[in-house]
Amino acid sequence: MRRRNLLGAGLLGLGGAAASFSNPGTQSSVSAPSISRNRRQLNMVTTWPKGLPGLGEAAERVAARIGAMSEGFIEVKVFAAGELVPAFESFDAVANGSADIYHGADYYWTAKSPAYPFFTAVPFGMTAQEIMGWIDFGGGQALWDELSGDFGIKPIQGANTGHQMGGWFRKEINSLDDLVGLQMRIPGQGGDVLRALGGAAKSLPGGEIYQALQTGNIDATEWVGPWNDYSLGFYREAPYYYGPGFHEPGASLAVGINRKLWDSMSASEQAVVKAACESTNHTSLGEFTYQNAVYLDILTKEHGVQLRSFPEDVVKAMAEASRDVRAAAGKDGIEKRIYESFETALASMSNWANVSDGPYYAARELGRKR
């Protein structure tokens, strides 16, 4: 009898644990066989214009997947830029608790720390695969947690655009002289590189770029790539589309969560949020890769967009300035540790890319031309 009683108690305990595990969004208290869960209703603010494909959809996708994976026990309502707070106030809103989560590009927060661009994109830096490798496996996440933790935020990768384009220009860029005095919308360290070459960089949220280009307040703009750029209509104001996107070879977008909120979550709730972000990160990279190809054809074949490559001397000058700009962002403290970790990982992965991706792309083109 004692053995049967012991076995029955053990099965009851396992049943409660299994029930809790099968509902990953749960804050549970097991009381003989019933389980209660607390619902959470959270607000997500974004740096993206309302209805923007790709980036705006990624924020909606994170929210929807959190809801689905938690079986509706964590509900996230998404607010586009300006609906709850302006785009560039998203970070502060989450840090002070007036919003729960943001979805945006962390290089917008350079004023908080010059190291933030390393977690989005830096000139001549990491591709999408490489930045995922550094953050997930090369120590980047721990450094990101430490940096954002000082502001009361928990960061997670929540989308990636893949390689971006260099931007839309009203006039052709034929030499370094054409960059002198150029007014361009380009944030983060890419803007620092332009300034180093004599241009003037501005940081504008996506919803304000077209008007600035239309009115002549800027001469050029970068945004993402053909898919997103088409949706914002830049081709109507600037006919020259330049590449490569030296400034953002693989832009990682962030989900930032109020740290007190994050710490209040159960381990299973945190696992749900992480899984929703990770799956969206994966989905977005494939989506951008495919849709950029589709919309590049639309832009060039239906709208007469003229593709251009930056001249070799311009690219060389950009590369030289980029090394100085990256180093300037990592002079001391945690910024120095982030910079050194990033550069070490970049050098290592570049060695692999030089014997894998680069030669493969060249070989594939040879095969296509036969």
Side-chain angles (χ1 to χ4, degrees), residues 13-368:
L14 287 173
S20 178
F21 181 77
S22 68
N23 296 286
T26 299
Q27 283 188 323
S28 62
S29 58
V30 180
S31 177
S34 65
I35 297 174
S36 63
R37 295 194 287 181
N38 296 326
R39 291 184 178 272
R40 292 184 185 271
Q41 293 183 322
L42 308 177
N43 291 332
M44 175 191 288
V45 293
T46 82
T47 60
W48 318 123
K50 188 174 182 61
L52 182 70
L55 298 176
E57 287 175 352
E60 296 281 358
R61 191 173 281 139
V62 169
R65 290 181 178 178
I66 289 173
M69 291 178 183
S70 68
E71 297 181 331
F73 278 81
I74 306 177
E75 181 183 349
V76 180
K77 185 174 182 180
V78 178
F79 295 87
E83 289 188 326
L84 197 60
V85 297
F88 290 167
E89 293 181 20
S90 299
F91 184 98
D92 286 339
V94 173
N96 65 33
S98 57
D100 302 303
I101 307 169
Y102 72 74
H103 192 284
D106 267 11
Y107 63 14
Y108 289 151
W109 325 133
T110 301
K112 306 291 184 184
S113 168
Y116 263 116
F118 289 107
F119 298 101
T120 303
V122 296
F124 291 90
M126 294 180 181
T127 63
Q129 301 96 309
E130 289 168 343
I131 198 166
M132 290 177 192
W134 173 56
I135 290 176
D136 289 336
F137 302 101
Q141 184 67 58
L143 290 165
W144 199 11
D145 286 340
E146 183 179 349
L147 178 67
S148 291
D150 287 342
F151 299 97
I153 289 175
K154 162 64 182 177
I156 306 174
Q157 295 173 89
N160 198 302
T161 68
H163 200 122
Q164 297 194 4
M165 283 291 284
W168 297 87
F169 294 76
R170 290 180 175 277
K171 298 179 180 180
E172 290 186 271
I173 304 299
N174 296 311
S175 70
L176 282 168
D177 290 340
D178 293 322
L179 296 180
V180 176
L182 182 80
Q183 300 276 337
M184 183 175 183
R185 184 272 178 191
I186 179 169
Q189 291 186 12
D192 294 333
V193 169
L194 180 63
R195 294 183 190 99
L197 299 180
K202 296 183 178 181
S203 185
L204 298 172
E208 298 178 16
I209 299 174
Y210 184 84
Q211 184 177 10
L213 196 61
Q214 185 181 46
T215 58
N217 287 336
I218 54 175
D219 306 309
T221 184
E222 64 78 45
W223 180 236
V224 180
W227 182 29
N228 270 188
D229 295 4
Y230 174 85
S231 71
L232 293 181
F234 300 140
Y235 63 92
R236 293 193 291 266
E237 304 298 332
Y240 301 106
Y241 201 21
Y242 271 85
F246 76 94
H247 61 302
E248 294 189 48
S252 179
L253 292 315
V255 170
I257 305 159
N258 177 274
R259 186 74 205 199
K260 291 181 179 178
L261 167 64
W262 177 257
D263 290 342
S264 76
M265 289 182 174
S266 67
S268 56
E269 285 180 317
Q270 291 179 354
V272 163
V273 174
K274 285 181 179 179
C277 293
E278 288 171 355
S279 65
T280 300
N281 202 52
H282 167 89
T283 301
S284 68
L285 181 55
E287 186 175 37
F288 271 100
T289 301
Y290 182 80
Q291 296 291 4
N292 278 337
V294 170
Y295 280 85
L296 180 63
D297 279 349
I298 292 173
L299 286 167
T300 55
K301 295 177 181 178
E302 298 181 17
H303 297 283
V305 167
Q306 301 181 51
L307 293 178
R308 294 288 189 271
S309 296
F310 290 116
E312 186 175 336
D313 64 326
V314 172
V315 174
K316 183 178 180 181
M318 287 174 172
E320 292 174 350
S322 294
R323 288 193 293 270
D324 294 336
V325 165
R326 295 202 308 265
K331 290 184 177 180
D332 51 37
I334 186 173
E335 284 81 11
K336 182 178 181 181
R337 289 188 284 119
I338 290 169
Y339 165 72
E340 290 175 346
S341 174
F342 182 95
E343 293 292 326
T344 298
L346 176 60
S348 176
M349 290 185 287
S350 294
N351 289 338
W352 166 235
N354 288 338
V355 298
S356 58
D357 294 352
Y360 169 70
Y361 288 143
R364 186 170 69 181
E365 283 306 297
L366 285 175
R368 289 181 61 193

